[in-house]
């Protein structure tokens, strides 16, 4: 038994932390899983009773890049901070965390509470300078390894995308041929439905106009299923407004191959957690844009014009209301909410009625009240 393990450590339970990055690794890389569970035998050989060894395997299939979704890692950190743990067993440093922030936080707590960290290479006491230096280096290498893996994989994807050969799920109306090229769907009904969408948009100039045209004439729109028992099947159903926007904004229908249309942005939430949101990039920021990559339903010029029409149709992005539009409402753009200083908006119901949206009651007194300082925006 190593000299660093004392009676003080053996009196507390040993925690075995298990983790693999994806469920695919859990299902197919069974050897790694078995090696991690075998750490319990090592803990028993080092002096811990079998009943004092607690296995934390709830994070199997989760990435170690962040601790947000790893509940067992949070449990480990909490119990270490409350001096409930004698030693933490892990196959290697990367199993505990691939984030320097989480790793060094755990090291600091282990140093303060006298908790040991044990892996396949040895036993470490984070309270000792040399061990802390070595563990810090292991954590840094673990995070660097993740960066290199990502850079290598992303570089391969970008290189293939620049040649227009990176295969992604195609939108309805396109299929891959035997050569792996994007071609029009051989189903005439599918092609006709898409042609109707673009033709009707040219006539009406609005996405709602396209949706109403399909419903008025009893037309259905196709959808290609991906994954599950319906994988690859063509499903027909009602055309929604969001679906129309998705078709009109997709450059694939203009014969364009695009890569890098979206990026993932991380933001700090109010509760301190890190949340990821998908952001749509402008065309000039795309990594790859290959025109005439395949046959399109419309031209690239028509696609650009459609985007301008859709942008002009939006009224919820204007800082101040523009000229009054059609409708039955009076004083459009003139009523102001006394609670939030926002302009009162008008919503028309399907039966032609009008409803005003505001958190403050719309009365002469409310409208005439002096405007307070701006507060967080709410519907109004």
């Amino acid at each position: 038994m190593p000299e660093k393990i004392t009676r003080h450590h053996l009196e507390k339970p040993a925690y075995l932390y298990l983790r693999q990055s994806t469920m695919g690794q859990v299902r197919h890389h069974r050897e790694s899983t078995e090696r991690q569970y075998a750490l319990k035998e090592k803990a028993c050989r080092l002096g811990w009773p079998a009943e004092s060894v607690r296995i934390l395997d709830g994070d199997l299939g989760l990435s170690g890049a962040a601790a947000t979704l790893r509940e067992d890692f949070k449990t480990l950190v909490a119990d270490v901070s409350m001096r409930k743990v004698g030693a933490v067993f892990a196959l290697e440093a990367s199993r505990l965390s691939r984030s320097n922030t989480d790793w060094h936080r755990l090291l600091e707590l282990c140093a303060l509470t006298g908790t040991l960290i044990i892996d396949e290479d040895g036993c470490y006491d984070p309270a000792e300078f040399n061990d802390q230096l070595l563990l810090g280096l292991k954590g840094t290498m673990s995070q660097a390894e993740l960066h290199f893996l990502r850079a290598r994989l992303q570089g391969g994807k970008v290189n293939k995308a620049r040649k227009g050969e990176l295969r992604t799920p195609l939108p309805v109306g396109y299929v891959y041929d035997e050569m792996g090229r994007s071609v029009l769907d051989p189903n005439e009904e599918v092609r006709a439905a898409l042609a109707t969408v673009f033709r009707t948009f040219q006539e009406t100039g609005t996405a709602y106009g396209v949706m109403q045209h399909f419903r008025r004439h009893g037309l259905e729109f196709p959808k290609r299923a991906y994954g599950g028992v319906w994988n690859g099947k063509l499903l027909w159903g009602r055309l929604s407004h969001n679906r129309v926007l998705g078709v009109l904004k997709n450059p694939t229908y203009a014969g364009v191959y695009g890569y890098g249309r979206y990026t993932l942005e991380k933001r700090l939430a109010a509760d301190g957690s890190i949340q990821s949101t998908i952001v749509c990039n402008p065309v000039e920021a795309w990594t790859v844009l290959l025109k005439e990559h395949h046959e399109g339903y419309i031209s690239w010029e028509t696609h650009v014009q459609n985007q301008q029409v859709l942008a002009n149709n939006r009224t919820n992005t204007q800082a101040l209301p523009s000229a009054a539009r059609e409708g039955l409402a009076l004083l459009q753009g003139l009523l102001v909410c006394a609670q939030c200083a926002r302009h009162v908006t008008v919503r028309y119901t399907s039966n032609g009625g009008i409803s005003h949206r505001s958190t403050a009651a719309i009365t002469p007194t409310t409208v005439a009240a002096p405007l307070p300082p701006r507060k967080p925006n709410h519907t109004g």
Side-chain angles (χ1 to χ4, degrees), residues 145-213:
E145 181 185 20
L146 182 62
H147 168 76
F148 294 141
L149 288 173
R150 285 177 174 172
R152 192 180 305 160
L153 294 173
Q154 187 65 19
K157 290 178 63 177
V158 172
N159 184 64
K160 201 165 187 176
R162 293 188 190 280
K163 299 182 292 184
E165 298 176 357
L166 182 63
R167 293 184 57 163
T168 57
L170 293 174
V172 64
Y174 285 97
V175 295
Y176 286 112
D177 62 8
E178 59 277 2
M179 301 294 293
R181 298 171 299 187
S182 303
V183 297
L184 299 181
D185 195 311
N187 191 317
E188 294 184 4
E189 292 183 273
V190 173
R191 299 199 305 271
L194 284 163
T196 303
V197 168
F198 292 111
R199 183 181 67 252
T200 307
F201 183 75
Q202 293 294 324
E203 297 171 354
T204 62
T206 64
Y208 274 111
V210 177
M211 181 189 69
Q212 292 171 356
H213 174 83

Side-chain angles (χ1 to χ4, degrees), residues 16 66 107 116 121 211 285 325:
L16 270 63
L107 291 186
L116 301 177
D121 297 328
M211 181 189 69
R325 298 181 62 185

Side-chain angles (χ1 to χ4, degrees), residues 47-69:
W48 276 274
E51 60 274 11
S52 297
V53 179
R54 180 178 178 182
I55 298 177
L56 301 177
D57 56 0
D59 292 343
L60 285 171
L62 298 178
S63 172
T68 307
L69 300 177

Side-chain angles (χ1 to χ4, degrees), residues 208-328:
Y208 274 111
V210 177
M211 181 189 69
Q212 292 171 356
H213 174 83
F214 269 71
R215 294 188 178 181
R216 187 165 53 248
H217 292 83
L219 302 177
E220 292 186 332
F221 195 76
K223 177 175 66 174
R224 184 78 64 181
Y226 291 99
V229 295
W230 296 99
N231 184 36
K233 300 294 184 180
L234 198 63
L235 308 176
W236 293 81
R238 297 182 64 179
L239 181 62
S240 64
H241 178 253
N242 287 336
R243 193 73 195 286
V244 177
L245 291 177
V247 172
L248 294 174
K249 293 182 178 181
N250 196 328
T252 304
Y253 294 109
V256 169
Y257 180 92
Y259 181 81
R261 294 172 55 198
Y262 304 96
T263 54
L264 198 64
E265 285 190 357
K266 294 184 178 181
R267 299 175 182 176
L268 190 63
D271 59 357
S273 62
I274 299 177
Q275 296 181 350
S276 300
T277 56
I278 298 177
V279 179
C280 183
N281 295 324
V283 176
E284 55 272 15
W286 292 4
T287 307
V288 178
L289 192 155
L290 302 177
K291 297 180 181 179
E292 299 182 357
H293 175 265
H294 51 268
E295 185 179 355
Y297 286 85
I298 58 175
S299 65
W300 172 251
E301 291 73 19
T302 302
H303 174 77
V304 174
Q305 294 174 3
N306 290 346
Q307 305 317 299
Q308 187 60 50
V309 172
L310 291 173
N312 295 336
N313 288 346
R314 296 187 63 182
T315 58
N316 59 345
T317 59
Q318 300 173 2
L320 292 174
S322 58
R325 298 181 62 185
E326 71 283 352
L328 304 176

